[in-house]
Amino acid sequence: MKLFYLIVVFYFAGIETVIPQVGISAGKDSLVTLRYLCNRQYSDIYKENGDLSYISPRGELAGPVKYIINGRITRTYIILAIPESPVAFAMVPDFTVKVIDDKSSGVRTPDLKLGGTFYFRLSQSVKNYKYATLKFTHHSNGQDGEALNLDGTINTKTGNFSTNYLTVGYNFGNRTKPLNSIYYTLNHYGGFEWHKWFNYEKVLVHDYGFTRVLYDFSLRRYVKQKENWRANIGLNYAVNPMDNYDAFAIKKRLNVETSFNYSFPFMSNVFLMAAVGYYGEDPYNIYYRNKYSYLRLGISTGL
């Protein structure tokens, strides 16, 4: 009888010990699962918030250089995304080419940007996401000629253009409640771009926007999880000292663009694109002294 009572005591004592352990294990597994799902969803947000690629016949209409066609290819390749970590890393190539409207139809000084981006997730909410970024970019045009002609003008045919920079950014946004399978997202980005710590073409000194403040906003509409349209506005402003331009020289320091991208139901992640903007400093490498307003029409995609 004593043996029976002893067995009963050990049985219930064992249950009391096992149940908390099972609960703790289940809690840890749930937390790991939550982090995994959150990081995976944030990886999709990182890619979706990347710039769109595009093809544009005639390029920047009304600009100083006439083009046959312009194209940009950029994509976010997530290389590191550990489920237990809020930090991710991606490679972000960004290539733009413009085919000049002349006899040879040449691609003069293609625009090459190669970089890597660290993402720091700041929230577990996907509907109201928050994350920071740190990006390093190399920007060049693949040329090695002198940047200046003998007469002091910029050599836009074979002149070297190169610079390297860091960009620190903060992204946040929110998603509205679905109504009839339709919802919207509002997406914000603020950043700061800095070149001076790294190598750059010396002709750019006091003549180029080495330090820029950035802001982008995007409103997107989704129908049954498919992005139906996207309205973007982005601007940046150079704040570093420049020869011949004071701090309020908007015509030189400001770049701004607004665009609308519409996808028909039969399209898969492809949009019809229309964009209007102004370059105080043309971002197409050695053409940086060009200042002009433009209209761009074509097809865009998130790849």
Side-chain angles (χ1 to χ4, degrees):
M1 199 66 175
K2 291 181 179 180
L3 179 61
F4 172 76
Y5 286 130
L6 187 61
I7 292 174
V8 170
V9 169
F10 274 115
Y11 175 77
F12 284 103
I15 289 179
E16 292 178 358
T17 303
V18 170
I19 289 177
Q21 290 178 345
V22 171
I24 293 172
S25 177
K28 288 183 178 179
D29 290 343
S30 298
L31 183 60
V32 170
T33 301
L34 178 62
R35 288 177 178 173
Y36 174 80
L37 293 175
C38 185
N39 287 333
R40 187 175 64 179
Q41 290 174 309
Y42 264 74
S43 292
D44 293 336
I45 293 174
Y46 301 153
K47 291 185 284 187
E48 193 165 318
N49 282 345
D51 291 338
L52 296 176
S53 301
Y54 64 78
I55 297 175
S56 176
R58 310 308 297 179
E60 279 88 21
L61 300 173
V65 181
K66 304 303 179 184
Y67 297 103
I68 296 175
I69 191 170
N70 293 357
R72 179 186 183 186
I73 297 177
T74 182
R75 188 169 185 178
T76 301
Y77 294 92
I78 303 291
I79 295 176
L80 178 66
I82 301 173
E84 295 81 10
S85 173
V87 180
F89 177 75
M91 296 296 294
V92 187
D94 187 348
F95 305 142
T96 302
V97 294
K98 300 183 179 183
V99 181
I100 294 177
D101 189 1
D102 60 12
K103 290 182 179 180
S104 65
S105 300
V107 177
R108 192 167 293 168
T109 69
D111 197 72
L112 311 173
K113 294 180 181 178
L114 293 169
T117 302
F118 284 98
Y119 300 89
F120 305 90
R121 178 171 55 80
L122 303 177
S123 171
Q124 289 190 350
S125 173
V126 175
K127 290 185 178 180
N128 296 280
Y129 68 83
K130 299 175 184 178
Y131 65 91
T133 56
L134 176 63
K135 182 176 182 179
F136 175 79
T137 305
H138 169 74
H139 185 191
S140 64
N141 66 349
Q143 305 297 313
D144 58 5
E146 294 294 331
L148 287 179
N149 295 314
L150 294 178
D151 61 0
T153 59
I154 294 293
N155 177 9
T156 57
K157 292 184 178 181
T158 61
N160 171 67
F161 176 93
S162 64
T163 184
N164 302 275
Y165 57 94
L166 284 176
T167 308
V168 179
Y170 175 66
N171 296 71
F172 67 98
N174 62 283
R175 185 176 69 189
T176 64
K177 292 183 179 180
L179 180 62
N180 297 325
S181 299
I182 297 174
Y183 65 91
Y184 297 83
T185 65
L186 290 84
N187 312 273
H188 303 264
Y189 168 76
F192 184 79
E193 182 179 296
W194 176 261
H195 294 244
K196 279 298 189 72
W197 284 343
F198 310 98
N199 292 331
Y200 50 84
E201 167 58 48
K202 300 308 178 186
V203 77
L204 302 180
V205 177
H206 304 307
D207 195 36
Y208 184 75
F210 278 121
T211 308
R212 287 187 170 272
V213 177
L214 320 169
Y215 174 73
D216 294 313
F217 171 77
S218 174
L219 173 64
R220 305 167 194 168
R221 181 179 190 262
Y222 294 81
V223 179
K224 297 180 180 179
Q225 303 295 320
K226 170 183 164 56
E227 188 173 354
N228 176 220
W229 56 256
R230 178 184 301 199
N232 292 330
I233 181 168
L235 59 90
N236 59 76
Y237 194 87
V239 296
N240 57 290
M242 294 189 205
D243 291 343
N244 305 318
Y245 298 100
D246 61 30
F248 301 100
I250 294 177
K251 289 186 177 180
K252 166 65 177 177
R253 296 178 176 273
L254 176 67
N255 284 4
V256 60
E257 178 179 293
T258 181
S259 65
F260 187 77
N261 304 267
Y262 183 84
S263 180
F264 287 100
F266 55 81
M267 292 179 168
S268 177
N269 199 27
V270 175
F271 306 86
L272 297 181
M273 171 197 67
V276 293
Y278 171 78
Y279 289 144
E281 184 175 272
D282 190 342
Y284 193 65
N285 56 77
I286 200 65
Y287 290 85
Y288 71 92
R289 283 189 178 176
N290 288 343
K291 298 184 282 290
Y292 58 94
S293 300
Y294 62 88
L295 168 67
R296 185 192 302 122
L297 303 173
I299 297 173
S300 60
T301 177
L303 290 178

